[in-house]
Amino acid sequence: MATLTGRSRRAEQRLQELMLARMSQQFERRLSREIARAMRGAASSLNPDAIGPEHERRVGRLLETVWRSSMQAMAEHMTGAQRSWRGEIETKSLDEVEPTEVTDRLMQSWMNTIGAAKITEITQTTQNSVRQIISRGIRDGLSEREIGKLIRDTAPTKSASRAQTIARTEVHAASQASAQSVAEAANLDMVRVWVSSKGERTRTIADGAKFDHLAADGQRVGMNERFVIRGVNGNEELRYPGDPAGSAANVINCRCAVVFELA
């Protein structure tokens, strides 16, 4: 079955996984520095609310860069890969797809429907992390100075862990949305296939995960249909791997890919 990029399902998923891993690494350090900076700032006043406005602005700028870069890279990957081969797919429709135009349209929609809420969520998580450290310090009978030091000492590890999760999840979500947008713009008769990342980290209910991405491997749906992901407490429908509408247990650190094939 011919795919939009000309590669096999497995080859396309592997290539996307490598590409997205490299991209997320570019942003992890910047996100980590910002989260650590905000936590250290709260260590002086022991006031988590002081983190809010400035941290939110900085996180917002970083995430907008993450999203746009991921969308553009995937759009260029999809169109460039298809233009480099000649197979069963009629190329004219995709030749007319401009990656930057796809990215601009998707980015506007993303910011209107997802962006603001995501930025606020990340900011509030940083505040809550500081609140938890302060509460622990109070329970342990620490002085204000000691609690401040505890926050500063915790910041590097906490920020690095969170930054890795955020970068991987947001790069994946934005790139998969971009792949969907490029395929829609091509206006070809296709179906979508969920291709799971094969490895020990792929979530499966048998290993204690809440959702089963291994079982979803090979699931085929129409362009406007949703994938049904089996869950311990009920199934969940996702438009594509990493769909921001999905629950955290279903999308965080996901490495699966959507592949487009001729109907």
Side-chain angles (χ1 to χ4, degrees):
M1 183 71 69
T3 66
L4 188 60
T5 62
R7 299 182 181 87
S8 69
R9 294 178 183 178
R10 184 58 52 200
E12 178 63 23
Q13 184 278 323
R14 287 174 178 166
L15 182 59
Q16 287 191 26
E17 186 174 343
L18 289 173
M19 180 176 72
L20 300 181
R22 288 194 296 267
M23 291 183 61
S24 64
Q25 288 172 0
Q26 295 175 15
F27 296 109
E28 283 178 23
R29 185 172 298 179
R30 295 170 63 186
L31 286 167
S32 180
R33 283 200 301 264
E34 170 51 29
I35 295 170
R37 182 205 65 80
M39 292 182 70
R40 288 194 300 269
S44 301
S45 62
L46 298 186
N47 178 16
D49 292 333
I51 289 175
E54 181 62 19
H55 185 45
E56 188 163 352
R57 283 192 293 271
R58 287 171 176 263
V59 167
R61 288 195 295 268
L62 282 171
L63 284 184
E64 286 183 38
T65 301
V66 170
W67 292 327
R68 181 174 289 278
S69 298
S70 303
M71 293 172 185
Q72 183 72 18
M74 181 58 74
E76 291 175 355
H77 163 71
M78 297 285 289
T79 56
Q82 204 282 325
R83 288 166 182 162
S84 70
W85 75 289
R86 291 295 181 265
E88 297 177 37
I89 294 179
E90 176 61 47
T91 63
K92 181 179 179 180
S93 294
L94 199 55
D95 284 342
E96 296 171 354
V97 177
E98 171 52 49
T100 301
E101 291 180 2
V102 170
T103 298
D104 287 344
R105 287 196 300 270
L106 179 58
M107 191 66 187
Q108 182 176 2
S109 171
W110 196 270
M111 291 305 298
N112 289 339
T113 60
I114 298 168
K118 178 65 71 173
I119 292 166
T120 298
E121 176 189 332
I122 291 173
T123 302
Q124 290 176 345
T125 300
T126 304
Q127 292 173 319
N128 290 337
S129 295
V130 172
R131 287 192 181 94
Q132 290 170 3
I133 296 171
I134 293 173
S135 296
R136 189 172 77 227
I138 292 173
R139 288 197 308 269
D140 293 343
L142 301 182
S143 67
E144 291 187 1
R145 183 176 180 179
E146 289 171 328
I147 293 174
K149 182 178 185 303
L150 182 60
I151 295 172
R152 288 189 290 272
D153 290 346
T154 304
T157 302
K158 185 71 173 179
S159 63
S161 175
R162 283 193 61 214
Q164 183 181 75
T165 298
I166 292 168
R168 290 179 178 179
T169 301
E170 297 307 317
V171 164
H172 184 248
S175 65
Q176 293 300 293
S178 181
Q180 176 72 26
S181 294
V182 169
E184 290 175 352
N187 196 30
L188 296 168
D189 188 15
M190 293 183 290
V191 295
R192 302 182 304 133
V193 184
W194 182 293
V195 184
S196 301
S197 174
K198 293 298 181 67
E200 60 182 18
R201 291 184 296 160
T202 302
R203 68 199 71 189
T204 172
I205 291 175
D207 292 337
K210 293 183 179 180
F211 291 94
D212 205 321
H213 287 193
L214 193 61
D217 187 49
Q219 187 178 151
R220 301 173 83 244
V221 300
M223 287 293 292
N224 296 313
E225 296 175 340
R226 282 168 167 72
F227 295 101
V228 179
I229 310 303
R230 185 160 59 92
V232 173
N233 298 314
N235 298 338
E236 189 168 88
E237 295 185 0
L238 300 180
R239 193 178 184 201
Y240 44 77
D243 184 353
S247 61
N250 213 354
V251 301
I252 287 179
N253 286 327
C254 178
R255 295 169 295 126
C256 303
V258 60
V259 173
F260 300 87
E261 295 181 345
L262 284 174

